[in-house]
Amino acid sequence: MNNRRDFVKTIATAAFLGAAGRLYAADNNLATTALPSELSAHPLQAGEVPFMSNRIVPAGLKKGDTIAIASPASPISSWNVRESVSALEKLGYKVELGKIIKHQNNSNRYLAASDDERAEELMELFARKDVKAIITGRGGYGVMRILPKLDYDVIKANPKIVIGFSDITALLLAIYAKTGIVAYHGPVASTSFNAFTIENLNAVIANEAYKNNFSINIPEMRTINKGSAEGIVQGGNLRMIASTMGTPYEIDTTNSILFLEDVSEHAYEVDRMLTQLIIAGKFDTCKAVVFGKFKNLNTRKSFYPNRGLTIMEVINELFVPMKIPCVLEFPFGHVTSKVTLPLGIRASIAVIRSSFRIFSRLAKPFSRPYWIIAKSADITNTMM
């Protein structure tokens, strides 16, 4: 294919409103930088957090609060979550292993336990007043099977921080769709908890991310389309978003800044899932799209009787014509160093003069402060 591609290499700055400015540059070449002056306008008043009238932001955690590790999807052992338990305890939180992890016997094949047992564990943790947050042990598969078994009235009456990614995307979407509670696309307990991941996570779950400004460098962001938009942070794993289409838990992309990521998918599979969302009208009212880091982004594999497209080419073909702001390789989901995204928090994105920004100043109707996600430096265009 000889079409010109607007591939971009950049040094991007992910700017959070958080206290986690002490990030270690050794991980993935990430380094702290000063927050640009244009992003520091409209500071929040003490105790204030972003919200919309029909959204619920769970209370931020304090030292001594209890975080429970649940198993709503595939099996995981207590040994596999030891790193996250240690990291969270060092932050001052109490960590409690769910009963399924404690008694994991792997008798349910790719499921941590039966559907009823996994649903019951989640509901017990939601009902407990002493549990302030739930982090899922692992993704894998299984969350969709328990969604109809959850009591969303109880969940809404006991709003808690719920964190996970990959298969857990379906749980986050269901909680948000049924209750309006902001859900958190972030690490599961079995993934790497390096300095970047744990301090970004803590900035969000402690609600420090709504008060103080800091920023971090993110290499290799790419711009697909320039432009600016205001909207609500939504998204997660592409496969799970596609899988929940047509269910009561499907994603609402109205006025959204939509974050999408996946791993180990062939280009034609990414094409199929994105095309499904396009045909379903999910991008019709979407204000901007932020893609994560796709494995084998520029790998071209055979597809009988021809060679296939690359994932990069698929994204360009489908999204350049949309002309909405679009960037690629934001670090969330299936990456070692990952950002925690509060789904339901409002934000603004600007891709202007070859730069990518999501920043904190908004005109009416969103006149209140809100979350800073990212700002990039100037970028260099190349052609393919």
Side-chain angles (χ1 to χ4, degrees):
M1 297 189 56
N2 296 320
N3 292 339
R4 290 158 63 111
R5 305 294 181 194
D6 184 16
F7 279 22
V8 183
K9 289 186 178 180
T10 183
I11 299 290
T13 303
F16 291 88
L17 304 178
R22 304 178 307 278
L23 301 179
Y24 300 113
D27 292 310
N28 289 348
N29 296 317
L30 299 168
T32 57
T33 63
L35 185 72
S37 59
E38 66 266 30
L39 299 189
S40 59
H42 304 306
L44 287 166
Q45 300 300 313
E48 185 181 17
V49 295
F51 72 94
M52 296 191 69
S53 59
N54 60 339
R55 298 296 179 261
I56 302 170
V57 179
L61 300 189
K62 304 181 298 294
K63 291 185 183 300
D65 282 346
T66 297
I67 300 174
I69 300 179
S71 299
S74 287
I76 198 71
S77 71
S78 57
W79 173 259
N80 296 124
V81 301
R82 69 193 187 284
E83 180 184 345
S84 62
V85 171
S86 176
L88 292 168
E89 288 179 341
K90 286 179 180 178
L91 292 174
Y93 303 121
K94 296 177 182 178
V95 182
E96 178 180 320
L97 299 184
K99 61 184 180 182
I100 294 176
I101 291 180
K102 288 180 180 178
H103 305 292
Q104 186 59 244
N105 56 28
N106 298 324
S107 61
N108 289 271
R109 306 297 179 176
Y110 49 70
L111 302 173
S114 69
D115 294 346
D116 286 341
E117 289 172 317
R118 287 179 291 119
E120 287 171 5
E121 178 181 74
L122 268 183
M123 294 314 307
E124 287 174 6
L125 294 176
F126 271 108
R128 282 177 51 181
K129 301 300 183 183
D130 61 319
V131 173
K132 304 301 182 182
I134 300 169
I135 183 169
T136 50
R138 179 188 170 191
Y141 173 73
V143 161
M144 289 185 67
R145 292 176 56 155
I146 70 171
L147 296 183
K149 297 177 177 290
L150 302 180
D151 188 330
Y152 295 97
D153 290 333
V154 172
I155 293 174
K156 187 171 184 178
N158 298 275
K160 302 181 191 295
I161 292 172
V162 180
I163 311 162
F165 75 101
S166 194
D167 188 68
I168 308 303
T169 293
L171 176 63
L172 306 181
L173 294 177
I175 290 173
Y176 186 79
K178 290 294 189 179
T179 70
I181 296 173
V182 169
Y184 296 77
H185 190 279
V188 294
S190 58
T191 56
S192 171
F193 271 68
N194 62 15
F196 178 87
T197 299
I198 190 64
E199 295 215 39
N200 276 272
L201 172 66
N202 190 48
V204 175
I205 64 177
N207 274 354
E208 293 299 321
Y210 308 122
K211 300 175 186 176
N212 304 308
N213 297 337
F214 76 95
S215 59
I216 49 179
N217 288 334
I218 301 174
E220 299 180 357
M221 292 289 292
R222 305 184 184 206
T223 297
I224 307 300
N225 291 330
K226 299 177 186 179
S228 61
E230 302 167 3
I232 305 302
V233 174
Q234 283 293 358
N237 179 254
L238 176 59
R239 179 174 287 277
M240 296 313 301
I241 289 173
S243 297
T244 53
M245 292 295 296
T247 74
Y249 319 107
E250 75 173 59
I251 192 168
D252 180 3
T253 59
T254 305
N255 297 321
S256 70
I257 297 176
L258 182 61
F259 287 74
L260 298 172
E261 67 84 35
D262 218 317
V263 67
S264 301
E265 301 287 356
H266 292 286
Y268 77 88
E269 294 173 315
V270 173
D271 190 336
R272 178 177 60 211
M273 290 183 286
L274 290 175
T275 300
Q276 178 185 6
L277 298 181
I278 290 171
I279 294 173
K282 290 300 178 181
F283 297 102
D284 291 352
T285 58
C286 181
K287 300 300 184 182
V289 179
V290 179
F291 286 103
K293 293 176 176 287
F294 285 79
K295 188 176 181 181
N296 300 320
L297 182 67
N298 293 299
T299 300
R300 190 184 309 282
K301 297 183 179 181
S302 61
F303 193 99
Y304 182 83
N306 301 313
R307 299 180 70 196
L309 296 171
T310 67
I311 293 175
M312 188 73 248
E313 288 172 336
V314 169
I315 291 174
N316 270 283
E317 283 197 353
L318 296 179
F319 287 88
V320 169
M322 291 186 191
K323 302 185 185 306
I324 60 175
C326 184
V327 292
L328 177 68
E329 297 205 90
F330 190 80
F332 74 107
H334 291 85
V335 291
T336 300
S337 296
K338 58 176 61 66
V339 164
T340 297
L341 296 169
L343 306 182
I345 296 297
R346 58 191 173 193
S348 175
I349 181 172
V351 189
I352 303 170
R353 294 191 303 276
S354 298
S355 67
F356 165 52
R357 302 176 182 177
I358 301 181
F359 56 96
S360 67
R361 174 177 290 176
L362 274 178
K364 292 181 179 179
F366 301 108
S367 58
R368 296 185 61 176
Y370 59 100
W371 194 44
I372 293 176
I373 298 173
K375 180 184 183 298
S376 77
D378 286 343
I379 53 183
T380 303
N381 295 327
T382 61
M383 294 295 184
M384 289 189 65

